[in-house]
Amino acid sequence: MGEKAAEEKKKDGAEKGARAADKKDEKKEVELSEEDLALKENLELMVVRSADPKAGVAKLAMETMRSEIKSATSSMTSVPKPLKFLRPHLQTLKDTYAKLKPGENKKLLADIISLLAMTDAPIDDAMPESLKYRLLGSNEDIGTWGHEYVRNLAAEIGTEFHRRQDESAKEGKDADVEDLMGLVNEVIPFHMKHNAEPEAVDLLIEVERLDLLAPHVNEGNYARTCLYLFSCSSYLPEPEDSEVLKVAHEIFLKVGKLTDAMRVACRLGLQDYMEKTFLASNDKLEKRQLCYMLARHGHPLRLDEGPCEIEDGDELEELQIIMSNSNLSANYLTLARDLDVMEAKLPEDIYKTHLMEGRAPAGAAVDSARANLAATFVNAFVNAGFGQDKLLTASEGDAEGEGASSGAGSNVSWIFKNKDHGKMSAAASLGSILLWDVEDGLPRVDNYLYSMEQQVVAGGLLAVGLINVNVRNDCDPAYGLLYESVNKENSSVRIGAIMGLGLAYAGCQKEEVQELLVPVVTDDSTPIDVAAFAALSLGLVFVGTCHEECVQAIVQALMLRPEKDLEDPFAHFLCLGLGLIFLQRQGEVEATLEVAKTLPPRISDFLQVTLEACAYAGSGNVLKVQALLARCGEHPELDGDDANEGADGEAQEWKYDPQSIAALGVALIASAEELGSDMAVRAYDHLIQYGDAAVRKACPVGLALLHISNPKLNVTDVLGRLSHDSNEDVAQAASLALGIVGAGTNNARLASQLRQLSSYYYKDPSLLFLVRVAQGLVHMGKGLLTLSPSHSDRSLHSNVALAGLITVAFAMLDMKHTILGKHHYMLYYLFVAAQPRMLMTVDEEGKPLPVAVRVGQAVDVVGQAGRPKTITGFQTHTTPVLLSAGDRAELATEKYIAIASVLEGVVILKPNPEWIEEKE
């Protein structure tokens, strides 16, 4: 029966299109059920009727089609039936549309065509069909056809927008996109109401109108919207990346989430945004929390003057104490007592020589200076910040009654177990043991400053810098103690004072330091290593500020120094000092790059690569990474005459140096986000296999920078292989890199790996020294510290910490002249990045408040539907707790409300007013 009816229908005069389609469907028709067949016939009749000359008949036909389409629900996997049956007639409907007179019917038909055209493939250089008919249609509510339709429209708006822009760009005039913007204004509210915030953001980024977003954000959807904006910024080119963040900042301010707004402001790195956020807060607790955040980020604001001035004296003092990190030492020791690790450790406790089979070096009684120097560093790293150890401060306690002289004398014996320049590091290591403890630490170092030994004085000055690192004291003791020594005769003393200033005021932008050090950099008679340390200190103090006087001074030094000076390895650190001033400033480095091209060839290329790597550090900029990788693949031309003679072949090595920095730059730029760093690791695998020597020795350093204090298995394995490499430079870099990757993690697997290395290299003093230092790093602060510059859920990167790490990375590229030469104290630059890896909760008074928290692996929930869990595999602990790389914490009780959204560092809790104690 059914087939006969269908035959008759065909004779009834359906159009050719319908016939052709039916022929195809004849085979399928066998499978159609009764009601499907009825529906199909009905719809085909409507297609014919919609072309009816009588307007009323046509209108009824269209209304029927619409109601059929709307009422058809389908499972997720199959196409709604009416759409399936109407699809073959799309062309017929378009022809009908063309013949209709303008009016209501024409618009109704346009709506239907717009829906059916959703599946059409786009045609080049023409407006997408679905969008075209939507704009011609009846302008009814956009949501009536459902989500998929809106999604498709949004995609087509983006395509059309770019097409019009390209066309009008050719003609040199602005594109007319009024009609599109009208549609955008309908799509955005729809998306925002229906939990599709990421799609709304994507559409606005496509049409370059993010400013339209803020009005549609409310309490309910701000968190997801901003999380998406924040994550997007890593993948957008400049200047769009900062535009996106500015919108997120505006939204957070609108809904009054100031701690989040401050995170965005820190990510932007713009002073005025930070000030604006700080001023928006009227709540004392919130202000304190903002101060904790700024202190951790190493970007304090002036509260005693300027825009953020605070009138109330008591409040000012409270906030300044927090902002200046003055209680860092106390908090750290609270954590240490809570975890019961106060007891001082000896280097032997770290080496655990008794666990190594067989080859204990014979004649162990002889004290080798190299071994003692290693012990000095291990001691400095392991007992960092604890205020006591067993080498330097051990016998002070007993001797206090006999006057200060014996108290000072009793612990100097260790210093003199080190050779000349070793004494400097040994004396400076006292500074790391007293890290952050300005009040009690400085008097204990004071004795060294009056020693007869110049090296000990130099170490004392460096110790002063270490004690003040990341802590800003009102009475400014460091500057007072250091500034006179900057211009002494002895160059070790000068370096001690200059490096001390750099450490003490890293990120402070203290003008006095600039006035003191600029003349040192520009004076031609300064030894090049002193000038280099001065440039590094300027770079640290004015990190990422593009400070003009400093930039000019260093550029001038590079221009005017004689060629012979530029051959010194320390000329590279002059370049790095300049790079640090532009750290993370992206495009602002362009002018200086142009100047770099005019410098002598010896330094020009090196400086250009250094500036680019520093300026784009942490930006994730793919184009820069590609450019640097291309550079790693080049083979610089050696001049024909020189290449033959062995001695001069050595002299040509400098041509390869820029490649080492390029390889390092890949890690710096990609380190900001997960995806980029995974890809960089893959790129390094290739470079290790196929790169030239200069590139290969930079690879372990780059891998370390991508995984600071984050000992992932795949990375420690690669570094373990490289630490046995036949090329000495590579093996040395890899050995120390293992320490940086595991810094402060107490990772047992890594510790045993290093013990095996130390027995493997027991005859090679240089490599043994580096392995020892790495062992010290792994147990840094007895496992309470981290060197990682990223914090608040890996969303922010402290550029001060990054600057310290880059400096050590550069030193690792030329071990022979720095860490294994006379400048091993450059390792102390690592302390700029050292921070307790803790979560500590305090009450409104600022006193520690133990609460239960869940700590687990962080889960990425960007753009996921509903309320997904943010951590997985958690354990419940009581604060204070340690957080490893990739961990996230959340409160396990509802008794308190955290003021900060990210639980990390010091977090203030306030009681939850709605909490009711449960009765036993």
Side-chain angles (χ1 to χ4, degrees), residues 299-597:
H299 203 119
L301 301 173
R302 295 296 299 266
L303 299 180
D304 45 2
E305 57 186 42
C308 293
E309 189 175 350
I310 286 177
E311 311 288 329
D312 176 7
D314 298 346
E315 189 184 356
L316 173 67
E317 193 175 325
E318 262 178 33
L319 293 178
Q320 272 185 327
I321 285 176
I322 294 174
M323 186 92 88
S324 66
N325 251 337
S326 304
N327 45 19
L328 188 56
S329 174
N331 288 342
Y332 176 60
L333 291 173
T334 308
L335 172 74
R337 282 188 205 99
D338 191 80
L339 297 170
D340 197 24
V341 290
M342 284 302 288
E343 193 191 338
K345 289 251 193 289
L346 277 168
E348 178 47 44
D349 302 338
I350 305 301
Y351 301 157
K352 300 197 169 125
T353 16
H354 60 276
L355 294 177
M356 300 186 320
E357 309 91 45
R359 301 193 285 198
V366 186
D367 264 3
S368 94
R370 207 54 178 286
N372 283 350
L373 186 59
T376 297
F377 280 110
V378 171
N379 187 44
F381 288 137
V382 173
N383 295 309
F386 282 91
Q388 52 179 14
D389 70 330
K390 289 183 176 169
L391 295 184
L392 286 162
T393 60
S395 48
E396 267 185 10
D398 324 331
E400 269 172 20
E402 303 162 26
S405 59
S406 59
S410 61
N411 63 355
V412 174
S413 56
W414 176 258
I415 294 180
F416 290 99
K417 284 188 182 170
N418 288 285
K419 275 217 190 101
D420 328 324
H421 46 84
K423 291 176 195 159
M424 179 164 169
S425 282
S429 68
L430 185 58
S432 79
I433 287 159
L434 302 168
L435 196 66
W436 306 321
D437 186 1
V438 181
E439 301 294 315
D440 303 338
L442 289 176
R444 289 168 71 176
V445 178
D446 203 38
N447 295 323
Y448 291 172
L449 303 181
Y450 305 110
S451 165
M452 300 311 291
E453 283 267 350
Q454 295 295 330
Q455 300 284 357
V456 176
V457 177
L461 294 165
L462 186 48
V464 171
L466 280 171
I467 290 174
N468 284 284
V469 77
N470 286 334
V471 177
R472 300 162 182 85
N473 198 302
D474 298 342
C475 50
D476 238 3
Y479 186 76
L481 287 167
L482 297 173
Y483 79 98
E484 287 177 353
S485 308
V486 169
N487 295 315
K488 290 269 171 63
E489 277 83 66
N490 182 310
S491 70
S492 291
V493 173
R494 296 182 72 177
I495 289 178
I498 289 170
M499 186 170 162
L501 280 170
L503 292 170
Y505 294 106
C508 284
Q509 302 156 34
K510 189 176 172 64
E511 285 298 330
E512 290 91 323
V513 177
Q514 174 250 320
E515 287 157 20
L516 189 63
L517 294 184
V518 161
V520 179
V521 177
T522 48
D523 180 6
D524 280 353
S525 61
T526 316
I528 181 90
D529 55 348
V530 179
F533 276 102
L536 279 179
S537 287
L538 287 174
L540 274 173
V541 177
F542 294 96
V543 61
T545 55
C546 311
H547 191 280
E548 265 185 48
E549 283 90 2
C550 303
V551 172
Q552 283 165 356
I554 299 175
V555 170
Q556 184 187 335
L558 287 167
M559 281 178 170
L560 303 181
R561 285 258 165 193
E563 185 82 20
K564 194 165 112 320
D565 277 356
L566 295 182
E567 290 173 15
D568 190 286
F570 276 91
H572 290 168
F573 289 98
L574 272 171
C575 300
L576 176 59
L578 191 55
L580 293 180
I581 297 175
F582 288 104
L583 192 62
Q584 294 181 330
R585 294 321 292 249
Q586 305 202 3
E588 293 172 52
V589 76
E590 292 302 325
T592 316
L593 264 178
E594 290 307 314
V595 178
K597 291 175 186 165

